[in-house]
C-alpha cells in the first residue's frame, strides 16, 4: 500500500506549502485497475495547443518533492504531480512488487483516466527520469517532449555511491538512523538544508515506517532493470520528441558526465548543468529548474506551431 502521511506536522506542512504554491490535491481511481488509487496535485488547467506537464518523482520520494518548483510555475500552465505506486499517498493494493513495465502501464492508465487528449510534457527526476525515458519508448504517441533530471545512467558512468549501494550499503538511500538520514542529505545535496529540524525528523520517521518496502523496490531495480538500462536507453535513439536534460555538476550519485550520454542518444536535446548542485535538483535549484522547464516548453510549442502553419 502507499505511504499515508498521518503525522499532523507533515500533513500541515504539506497543506500549507501546497496552498502557498497554488496546487490542489486530488485522488483518481483507475477504471481498468482496481488495485490503484493515485494521489496527485494539480495546478492550472489544460490549455488547447499547450502540452500539460506531468511530474514524476524519484525513488523513495513523493509528489511533494516538486512543490519547491511549483512556486515558480505560473498558473497559466497545466501541471500534474503524482505519487507513483507504493510511494506517497497513492494507494496500491497489489501484494507483489511492481516491475517498471507495470508502473509504465499504470502511468498510461492514469493519463487516459485524466483525459489528457494532447501529447504531454513528461518530467522525471532520478529513477523518475528512467520511468520518463522508458514511457517515451513504450508509448511515444503520448509524448510531446520530455525533461530528464539526472536519471540513473548505464554502468559505464557508475558512481562510487552506486557501487556501494550494489555492495549492500543501501542505507545510503534508505537510512535506518537519524545520523544516516543526515549523512544522505549531505551526500546528495550541496545546498544547506534550511527546513526546521522538527520537520526533518518527522519526515525521516515517515520514511522509516516504509523502509523495508522501499528496500524491496530498490533491490528489484538493482537486480533486474539496472543491468538492462543500456539496452532500454539505446531505444531513445528512435524517439521523435525533444528532450531537456538537467544535471547538477556536484551530483555524487549520478555522475554529471552522463548528461552528454543522454544528449547523444536523443538528437533533439538540450543539456543544462547547474553549478553548486547535487542530485536533488528540484530542491536545490527550484527556480532555475522551473525557468528552464517553462522556457523549453514555450520554445518547443512555438516550433510546433511554426511547423503546422508552414504548410
Amino acid at each position: 500500500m502507499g505511504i499515508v502521511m498521518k503525522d499532523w506536522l507533515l500533513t500541515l506542512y504539506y497543506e500549507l506549502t501546497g496552498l502557498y504554491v497554488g496546487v490542489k490535491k486530488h485522488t483518481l481511481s483507475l477504471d481498468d485497475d482496481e488495485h490503484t488509487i493515485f494521489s496527485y496535485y494539480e495546478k492550472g488547467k489544460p490549455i488547447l495547443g499547450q502540452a500539460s506537464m506531468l511530474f514524476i518523482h524519484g525513488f523513495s520520494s513523493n509528489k511533494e518533492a516538486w512543490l519547491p518548483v511549483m512556486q515558480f510555475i505560473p498558473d497559466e500552465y497545466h501541471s500534474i504531480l503524482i505519487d507513483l505506486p507504493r510511494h506517497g499517498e497513492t494507494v496500491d493494493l497489489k501484494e507483489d512488487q511492481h516491475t517498471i513495465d507495470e508502473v509504465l502501464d499504470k502511468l498510461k492508465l492514469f493519463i487516459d483516466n485524466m483525459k489528457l487528449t494532447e501529447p504531454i510534457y513528461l518530467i522525471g527526476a532520478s529513477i523518475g527520469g528512467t520511468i520518463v525515458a522508458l514511457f517515451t519508448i513504450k508509448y511515444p504517441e503520448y509524448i510531446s517532449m520530455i525533461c530528464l533530471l539526472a536519471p540513473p545512467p548505464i554502468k559505464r558512468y557508475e558512481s562510487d555511491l552506486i557501487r556501494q549501494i550494489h555492495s549492500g550499503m543501501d542505507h545510503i538511500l534508505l537510512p535506518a538512523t537519524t545520523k544516516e538520514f543526515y549523512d544522505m542529505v549531505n551526500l546528495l545535496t550541496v545546498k544547506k538544508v534550511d527546513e526546521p529540524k522538527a520537520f526533518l525528523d518527522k519526515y525521516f520517521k515517515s520514511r522509516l515506517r516504509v523502509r523495508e518496502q522501499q528496500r524491496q523496490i530498490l533491490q528489484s531495480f538493482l537486480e533486474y532493470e539496472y543491468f538492462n538500462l543500456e539496452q532500454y536507453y539505446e531505444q531513445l535513439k528512435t524517439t521523435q520528441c525533444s528532450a531537456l536534460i538537467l544535471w547538477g555538476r556536484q551530483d555524487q550519485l549520478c555522475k554529471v558526465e552522463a548528461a552528454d550520454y543522454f544528449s547523444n542518444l536523443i538528437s533533439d536535446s538540450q543539456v543544462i548543468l547547474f553549478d553548486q548542485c547535487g542530485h536533488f535538483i528540484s530542491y536545490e535549484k527550484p527556480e532555475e529548474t522551473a525557468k528552464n522547464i517553462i522556457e523549453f516548453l514555450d520554445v518547443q510549442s512555438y516550433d510546433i506551431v511554426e511547423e503546422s502553419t508552414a504548410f
Side-chain angles (χ1 to χ4, degrees):
M1 299 198 46
I3 307 168
V4 180
M5 300 292 190
K6 294 183 178 179
D7 186 279
W8 70 268
L9 181 61
L10 282 179
T11 301
L12 180 62
Y13 181 88
Y14 287 147
E15 286 180 355
L16 292 176
T17 304
L19 284 172
Y20 178 70
V21 304
V23 299
K24 294 181 179 180
K25 187 162 69 172
H26 307 279
T27 58
L28 180 68
S29 299
L30 301 183
D31 292 341
D32 301 316
D33 184 349
E34 61 185 18
H35 297 296
T36 306
I37 303 174
F38 274 101
S39 177
Y40 68 98
Y41 288 122
E42 189 171 24
K43 183 175 184 178
K45 296 181 179 179
I47 299 172
L48 185 64
Q50 183 189 94
S52 295
M53 296 181 287
L54 180 55
F55 292 79
I56 311 296
H57 62 74
F59 167 72
S60 192
S61 184
N62 53 31
K63 60 187 180 298
E64 282 76 18
W66 294 108
L67 291 180
V69 175
M70 284 299 107
Q71 178 182 350
F72 303 102
I73 301 286
D75 291 340
E76 54 265 29
Y77 295 88
H78 185 219
S79 303
I80 301 169
L81 294 61
I82 71 167
D83 277 330
L84 291 172
R86 301 193 179 241
H87 289 77
E89 295 176 301
T90 287
V91 176
D92 186 358
L93 301 177
K94 186 175 183 292
E95 294 297 328
D96 299 332
Q97 290 298 323
H98 289 294
T99 65
I100 281 190
D101 202 54
E102 289 174 323
V103 173
L104 301 181
D105 292 341
K106 286 180 180 288
L107 187 56
K108 175 188 176 295
L109 288 175
F110 175 85
I111 295 169
D112 290 340
N113 280 257
M114 285 291 293
K115 296 180 170 54
L116 299 176
T117 56
E118 298 196 33
I120 62 174
Y121 185 3
L122 199 55
I123 301 159
S126 194
I127 288 182
T130 299
I131 290 172
V132 166
L134 300 188
F135 187 91
T136 302
I137 293 165
K138 187 170 185 178
Y139 298 111
E141 68 276 13
Y142 280 71
I143 301 299
S144 173
M145 63 198 84
I146 62 175
C147 177
L148 307 176
L149 288 78
I154 61 175
K155 194 170 180 61
R156 188 191 324 159
Y157 299 98
E158 191 173 70
S159 66
D160 289 340
L161 283 184
I162 290 180
R163 280 191 285 270
Q164 290 172 27
I165 294 167
H166 263 295
S167 71
M169 299 172 64
D170 53 22
H171 66 272
I172 293 172
L173 293 181
L174 294 170
T177 66
T178 303
K179 180 183 182 304
E180 289 177 352
F181 174 71
Y182 284 97
D183 286 345
M184 177 192 74
V185 172
N186 291 331
L187 269 175
L188 301 183
T189 63
V190 175
K191 172 184 174 182
K192 179 178 173 55
V193 177
D194 52 13
E195 274 72 14
K197 185 176 185 301
F199 167 78
L200 291 174
D201 288 345
K202 295 291 186 182
Y203 177 69
F204 164 65
K205 288 178 181 177
S206 75
R207 288 173 55 106
L208 196 59
R209 288 196 294 267
V210 293
R211 184 177 184 273
E212 184 55 36
Q213 182 188 75
Q214 297 295 299
R215 186 169 175 268
Q216 292 173 13
I217 295 172
L218 178 62
Q219 286 180 332
S220 175
F221 176 77
L222 292 175
E223 290 174 7
Y224 301 104
E225 282 88 3
Y226 182 74
F227 291 106
N228 294 312
L229 283 182
E230 184 164 11
Q231 176 185 341
Y232 296 151
Y233 288 153
E234 280 293 311
Q235 298 176 68
L236 287 171
K237 290 179 177 178
T238 64
T239 186
Q240 298 300 308
C241 74
S242 53
L244 175 64
I245 300 164
L246 305 179
W247 224 286
R249 290 187 186 275
Q250 285 74 38
D251 192 330
Q252 295 190 64
L253 185 65
C254 298
K255 296 168 68 173
V256 66
E257 290 82 4
D260 286 337
Y261 164 74
F262 285 101
S263 179
N264 290 331
L265 288 174
I266 306 171
S267 58
D268 185 8
S269 61
Q270 177 184 357
V271 175
I272 295 175
L273 306 180
F274 295 130
D275 292 320
Q276 294 303 301
C277 181
H279 189 63
F280 295 151
I281 299 172
S282 62
Y283 171 74
E284 296 196 83
K285 299 290 182 180
E287 185 171 5
E288 296 89 335
T289 298
K291 174 178 177 290
N292 282 285
I293 285 173
I294 291 299
E295 287 181 354
F296 191 75
L297 171 59
D298 288 344
V299 168
Q300 295 301 319
S301 299
Y302 178 79
D303 288 346
I304 290 171
V305 171
E306 284 284 290
E307 290 174 5
S308 64
T309 57
F311 293 98

